[in-house]
Amino acid sequence: MTHRERKVPVLDASIRIDGLPAAGREIVVEATDEQREAIAAQLGITDVKRLQASLRAVGFRGGIRVTGHVSAVIEQPCVVTLVPVFQDIEEDVDRVFLPGVEPDKA
């Protein structure tokens, strides 16, 4: 899939490096009903009951380091009985995003 063929993300929390304050930026994301429905459809699960993220982005070696926490509650059918199964997701985040060469420009 080329850069031009990529789909627009359902939930976008894009950050521009050139707009990031030296002290960093706090980012709080909470998916709307429509976004949660679209995410569930993409994942092939019954429902995303809640999806939230509390993040901090800071400049890091020409890129951005993002730390924080993501939490969600999802519903999917049991693979054996098809009874709804609920899962609480609680994950800490620590990711570094560095600039690179776009695939169609390499």
Side-chain angles (χ1 to χ4, degrees), residues 30-105:
E30 185 163 356
T32 65
D33 292 342
E34 295 80 17
Q35 290 167 328
R36 292 193 318 270
E37 185 178 318
I39 291 167
Q42 283 184 353
L43 295 175
I45 60 177
T46 307
D47 196 9
V48 176
K49 301 287 186 187
R50 178 176 52 80
L51 176 57
Q52 300 171 316
S54 178
L55 307 167
R56 176 161 184 74
V58 295
F60 182 82
R61 297 185 181 177
I64 298 174
R65 181 178 183 195
V66 178
T67 57
H69 190 78
V70 175
S71 64
V73 176
I74 64 166
E75 176 187 345
Q76 60 187 348
C78 172
V79 296
V80 176
T81 65
L82 301 180
V83 172
V85 176
F86 295 88
Q87 178 70 46
D88 290 324
I89 299 169
E90 299 290 337
E91 289 294 325
D92 290 329
V93 174
D94 190 345
R95 297 291 305 237
V96 173
F97 301 91
L98 297 173
V101 178
E102 290 188 34
D104 53 5
K105 294 186 179 181

Side-chain angles (χ1 to χ4, degrees), residues 22-34:
R25 174 175 292 141
E26 299 293 327
I27 303 152
V28 177
V29 178
E30 185 163 356
T32 65
D33 292 342
E34 295 80 17

